[in-house]
Amino acid sequence: MSKNTKILYGGLRALQRELSSEEWQDAKYTILLDENTFQYCLPLLVSNVEALQEAEFVEVPVGEECKSLEVAAQVWQTLLEGEADRQHVVVNLGGGCVCDLGGFVAAGYKRGIRHINVPTSLLALVDAAIGGKTAIDFGGVKNSIGHFYPATLTAIDSVFLETLPEVEYLNGQMEMVKTAAVTDPELYQGLIYHTTPNNSQLSTFISQLKNIARLKARIVKADPYDHSIRKILNFGHTFGHAIEVYRGLPHGIAVGIGMQVAMYLSTKKISLQEEVYTTYSHWLKEQLSTAYYPLPTFNLKDIEQMLPLMHQDKKNTAGLLRCVLLQELGVPVIDIEVSDNEIRDAFLRLHI
């Protein structure tokens, strides 16, 4: 496993300074990107980072489709044909899927080469680009094959947010709210009540974004292999991943719904105040409707088809479904066993 990621809060300017240093003098680069980041983000990257102006690039499919063994093999083949050695660096320019794939490729190539994350979506800025979890999907199961392999550098630059459609803000804000819910009640309240980054609130929003990144980085540093405290970042994910696969929703939005399920279970199993659950439920419904993603309904047939997906979750042990629940905001409890009947009840009550 490589060392901890150095997070560059100064964005592309900071990345330019880093790559101009002696440490990177012999590096050659391949930029991994998709159709969207090729069009909207590559010009920003190469115009600001001189070291990358001569880089080759590999374009991969947009979204979850790129996270496959076949696509990874194609990237490895390109690196081999280009005679990339162990000084070669993969630069992941994209959202969470590109960062996941690029990290996975870097971890496997010649037993590990460096990679740099340049996240271009809000979701990637606060989630996939920080923490060192790299993965592809396999056998119909999300993130079923992967490594703990942190990027050497992650450059956080809000300039890329200007290229995003509104729904992508919501997608990322869900992960921001998740991290705040399990770590910082004051930050959580700020996100719940100020979630639209208009011009007057932009500086506050950027500050919130950087605080979330710092919180996650601190947790990851304390528990890089997800054995203890890092598990709190899985809040809502056991249910969210199943919703994401079953309904085909974006990751962050699915996790947002998964958090509602987890909060309901928290009120029943470890005494989370009902007010926290109801306030979040109303906020979630309002945010989803604003982004034209009405809160989906789930009947028993839906739930039965999602339960096997939940039981395949990596966080389970000995066939038991274990979740992160909230005793109160900022006080998560890990490894709470939840029964299938309790999950059925929680999903059926989403619209009550």
Side-chain angles (χ1 to χ4, degrees), residues 316-332:
N316 298 327
T317 57
L320 300 174
L321 203 153
R322 300 181 185 275
C323 301
V324 181
L325 301 182
L326 279 183
Q327 185 172 322
E328 58 185 82
L329 288 172
V331 185

Side-chain angles (χ1 to χ4, degrees), residues 52-263:
L52 300 179
Q53 291 176 1
E54 301 298 324
E56 297 185 356
F57 64 88
V58 177
E59 186 175 329
V60 299
V62 175
E64 204 73 21
E65 186 182 346
C66 80
K67 290 173 55 177
S68 71
L69 195 56
E70 292 76 17
V71 174
Q74 290 169 11
V75 181
W76 283 323
Q77 184 66 36
T78 299
L79 292 173
L80 284 171
E81 290 174 355
E83 299 182 347
D85 58 21
R86 295 202 67 198
Q87 294 303 312
H88 208 83
V89 181
V90 176
V91 180
N92 306 314
L93 180 67
C97 293
V98 169
C99 292
D100 278 354
L101 172 68
F104 180 83
V105 166
Y109 187 74
K110 294 187 182 292
R111 298 192 177 95
I113 60 175
R114 290 178 291 181
H115 67 114
I116 296 170
N117 284 331
V118 184
T120 60
S121 70
L122 179 56
L123 180 61
L125 280 168
V126 296
D127 186 32
I130 302 172
K133 288 183 176 180
T134 73
I136 59 170
D137 305 336
F138 188 77
V141 180
K142 183 178 172 66
N143 296 336
S144 54
I145 301 178
H147 310 272
F148 289 96
Y149 195 74
T152 305
L153 303 172
T154 289
I156 293 182
D157 200 318
S158 60
V159 68
F160 293 115
L161 300 184
E162 299 172 11
T163 69
L164 297 178
E166 183 178 346
V167 69
E168 285 301 321
Y169 279 105
L170 179 60
N171 203 31
Q173 285 165 355
M174 292 297 176
E175 280 284 354
M176 293 175 69
V177 167
K178 176 220 65 179
T179 299
V182 297
T183 59
D184 189 328
E186 185 177 345
L187 182 55
Y188 172 85
Q189 297 293 346
L191 289 167
I192 288 290
Y193 292 109
H194 302 94
T195 54
T196 303
N198 57 38
N199 290 336
S200 64
Q201 298 172 334
L202 187 59
S203 61
T204 298
F205 180 75
I206 297 302
S207 176
Q208 290 171 332
L209 187 160
K210 291 181 178 180
N211 284 337
I212 290 292
R214 290 187 181 99
L215 284 167
K216 179 168 184 182
R218 193 178 309 148
I219 293 168
V220 169
K221 184 176 181 180
D223 179 24
Y225 292 106
D226 213 3
H227 292 316
S228 55
I229 188 174
R230 185 171 178 171
K231 290 183 179 182
I232 67 175
L233 297 175
N234 293 322
F235 180 60
H237 279 62
T238 296
F239 313 114
H241 280 164
I243 295 167
E244 180 181 0
V245 172
Y246 183 70
R247 289 291 197 200
L249 293 178
H251 173 77
I253 290 173
V255 167
I257 300 167
M259 283 192 283
Q260 185 180 2
V261 175
M263 283 192 185

Side-chain angles (χ1 to χ4, degrees), residues 122 305 315:
L122 179 56
Q305 292 180 327
K315 296 172 283 296

